[in-house]
Amino acid sequence: PPLNLLGLGLPVGQGDCTVLVCPEYNGNVIIYDMGSRNSLWTAETVRHYLTVQRLNGDRPLIQRVTTIIVSHPDPDHCNYLPVVFPNNGGERRLNVFYGGRWAAFPEKQRDWLEEIEAVPFNEENACFGETCTLPQHTPLWTPQQCGSRSTHFNVIAANMGQTRHHRNSNQDSVVLKVTYGTSSVLLVGDLEGRAANDLRDRARNLPPLLRSDVYKVSHHGASSKANTMAFLSAILP
């Protein structure tokens, strides 16, 4: 039978850990955030789960991880990474990208990002749409994270808080849209405040940009500018 793109939200408590499994046999695995403050699943449990699960193939998920996106520096979005992927991910080359300022990450996570040669999405400036590019000397982000032509990963925005020089890292969250065939999912990390309003206003000139069938609510469902009806109206198909 044909395989489908799988999206897993691991139960880490107050935190985020989204695992996306490409729709090919032993296809790539892409991770968006991995951390928690009040863990249900500990980092060791997450590592064990990824080690024993063989979804869409016969190889463990942890051996198929190719790309990790850290939406922003808050610990509950990144503090599991050094435990789940010690030793720089082992022999494999992991492509790791992050939003926000490197200096805002906790020390342990900063060390891990530096050792693994993580790449920022325009660390000093906001990026939106086609301006979300990476330095020329690094592996460029590509929407083709899966082998399937029907699956695309598009970074819509990152570091939107930088446009107003805020130090609230939530506003710098990487906004990722995953499209599979005619369906799409929008992941926004902890996007909130004026950054959410700026994104909504910019997207008015590009109506399909935010349109998605599934929206993972911002900031764990907290009261946020990215969870208002005004923002949701820009997302609803």
Side-chain angles (χ1 to χ4, degrees):
L3 300 175
N4 294 312
L5 175 72
L6 302 177
L8 312 171
L10 302 191
V12 294
Q14 185 184 333
D16 269 309
C17 183
T18 300
V19 179
L20 300 156
V21 185
C22 289
E24 299 90 38
Y25 192 77
N26 283 334
N28 294 341
V29 173
I30 294 88
I31 290 174
Y32 180 93
D33 284 344
M34 185 174 281
S36 179
R37 290 187 191 275
N38 302 308
S39 58
L40 293 177
W41 280 19
T42 64
E44 291 77 10
T45 303
V46 170
R47 179 174 173 80
H48 175 74
Y49 177 83
L50 295 176
T51 301
V52 300
Q53 284 294 334
R54 289 166 166 78
L55 302 173
N56 282 2
D58 60 8
R59 291 176 55 213
L61 295 181
I62 199 164
Q63 294 180 7
R64 292 151 52 191
V65 175
T66 57
T67 302
I68 299 172
I69 302 169
V70 184
S71 66
H72 65 294
D74 282 4
D76 56 345
H77 292 256
C78 65
N79 61 2
Y80 281 13
L81 288 168
V83 177
V84 178
F85 298 99
N87 304 319
N88 303 336
E91 296 179 358
R92 295 168 298 123
R93 164 69 184 183
L94 289 176
N95 292 313
V96 181
F97 306 93
Y98 65 89
R101 295 172 296 114
W102 179 82
F105 281 88
E107 182 177 1
K108 187 174 182 179
Q109 283 70 54
R110 283 203 310 269
D111 292 344
W112 184 85
L113 290 171
E114 186 174 30
E115 290 173 4
I116 210 164
E117 298 180 354
V119 179
F121 281 108
N122 292 43
E123 184 171 21
E124 298 302 324
N125 300 288
C127 72
F128 173 79
E130 293 181 356
T131 66
C132 288
T133 56
L134 296 167
Q136 292 299 316
H137 64 279
T138 61
L140 292 180
W141 168 263
T142 171
Q144 281 71 47
Q145 296 294 320
C146 295
S148 170
R149 293 183 179 180
S150 63
T151 310
H152 298 276
F153 292 73
N154 292 304
V155 173
I156 293 177
N159 292 0
M160 293 293 289
Q162 299 287 354
T163 59
R164 296 179 183 273
H165 307 291
H166 285 291
R167 291 303 179 185
N168 180 349
S169 64
N170 289 342
Q171 300 197 45
D172 291 333
S173 294
V174 174
V175 178
L176 178 70
K177 184 174 182 178
V178 184
T179 303
Y180 176 54
T182 59
S183 301
S184 55
V185 178
L186 190 66
L187 304 172
V188 300
D190 283 355
L191 188 71
E192 63 182 11
R194 292 180 176 177
N197 288 341
D198 286 348
L199 177 59
R200 182 199 65 206
D201 292 343
R202 293 188 190 204
R204 285 175 179 166
N205 297 324
L206 299 166
L209 193 66
L210 292 180
R211 298 286 189 217
S212 301
D213 300 286
V214 178
Y215 175 55
K216 186 176 184 298
V217 293
S218 175
H219 207 175
H220 323 289
S223 176
S224 162
K225 295 291 186 182
N227 293 332
T228 63
M229 285 307 302
F231 193 86
L232 294 177
S233 65
I235 296 171
L236 297 174

